[in-house]
Amino acid sequence: MKRILCYGDSNTWGHDPENGARRVSDEYRWGQVLQQKLGAEYSVIEEGLCGRRTAGDGVLNLPENRGWDGYEYFLPCIRSHVPLELVIIMLGTNDLQIPFDLQPEYTGEMLGKYIEAIEEVSRLRELETPQILLISPIAVDPSVTKHEFFNEIMGAQSVEKSKKLAPIIEAVARKYNVHYLKAEDYAKASELDGIHMNSQNHVLLGEAVYNKIVNDIFK
């Protein structure tokens, strides 16, 4: 059985823009769509967390905001799920939040550290390094500026910065010789909040990842 880890933020967890903080159901969430299409010979592990950044905790020092540092949790996460045949990482959207004032290049630098961490854990555990797929997240839609909550943390500058993520993440994938997929070629954010995919777009992304896996990664 091939084990696949999907590591991401709310668009991997499945935040439903049509129902607030509720989760897109299993039959539509992209990780589960991937599992259904791959079948019993694969085990897809969903590790999505709303608010997760590539690194660093939340701006507000509150208990509910702790644990957003994706890199801090990544090492124990990898160690707890080995052996793995494929690690999929889709992060970067939360790095664009206004209070953090980060540039897209920061996301690229951190994703390089994620790849190095996978290689290091594999070496220390004397395991074969899994295949790695970087997915650049969907672009932030301008409708985010009209949302009653997300407009406070995502503004017009976040929308513009999100357009720069794809080429930066693709460059990281080339540098480390890992696989790459551009999510916005297949899916988009709902105009209800400008950030999250609805169930239809989850399905589209799940199908795209499936095709990438069977036609390129494990062909």
Side-chain angles (χ1 to χ4, degrees), residues 8 58 64 73 81 97 101 104 110 112-113 121-123 131 158 160 174 183 202 206-207 211 216:
E64 61 267 29
Y73 177 65
H81 290 302
Q97 291 182 22
D101 192 28
M110 285 308 307
K113 294 182 182 299
V121 169
S122 301
R123 185 185 66 81
Q131 297 285 329
S158 302
E160 290 305 309
R174 287 199 304 268
H202 267 272
E207 291 174 345
N211 289 327
D216 184 13

Side-chain angles (χ1 to χ4, degrees), residues 97-171:
Q97 291 182 22
I98 296 170
F100 299 122
D101 192 28
L102 297 171
Q103 297 302 315
E105 289 79 8
Y106 169 85
T107 298
E109 292 173 6
M110 285 308 307
L111 289 175
K113 294 182 182 299
Y114 278 69
I115 295 170
E116 292 169 1
I118 294 170
E119 295 171 344
E120 180 68 6
V121 169
S122 301
R123 185 185 66 81
L124 291 174
R125 296 291 294 272
E126 298 183 344
L127 296 168
E128 183 176 348
T129 301
Q131 297 285 329
I132 299 170
L133 172 61
L134 296 185
I135 302 180
S136 56
I138 55 173
V140 177
D141 188 85
S143 57
V144 72
T145 60
K146 301 177 183 178
H147 192 271
E148 61 181 356
F149 172 73
F150 292 117
N151 71 326
E152 297 182 1
I153 57 175
M154 291 278 197
Q157 59 267 58
S158 302
V159 175
E160 290 305 309
K161 286 180 180 179
S162 75
K163 297 176 183 178
K164 300 177 181 179
L165 278 177
I168 288 173
I169 295 174
E170 183 177 15

Side-chain angles (χ1 to χ4, degrees), residues 7-8 47 49 51-58 61 63 65-80 89 91 95 106 110-111 113-115 117 121:
Y7 195 79
E47 278 282 358
L49 175 66
R52 177 176 282 152
R53 296 170 54 208
T54 51
D57 270 328
N61 188 25
N65 289 342
R66 293 171 189 158
W68 284 351
D69 186 332
Y71 186 70
E72 182 180 36
Y73 177 65
F74 189 63
L75 288 171
C77 178
I78 290 292
R79 292 186 183 113
S80 68
I89 304 171
L91 288 171
D95 292 354
Y106 169 85
M110 285 308 307
L111 289 175
K113 294 182 182 299
Y114 278 69
I115 295 170
V121 169

Side-chain angles (χ1 to χ4, degrees), residues 76-93:
C77 178
I78 290 292
R79 292 186 183 113
S80 68
H81 290 302
V82 293
L84 294 162
E85 279 67 42
L86 172 63
V87 178
I88 301 174
I89 304 171
M90 185 170 70
L91 288 171
T93 300

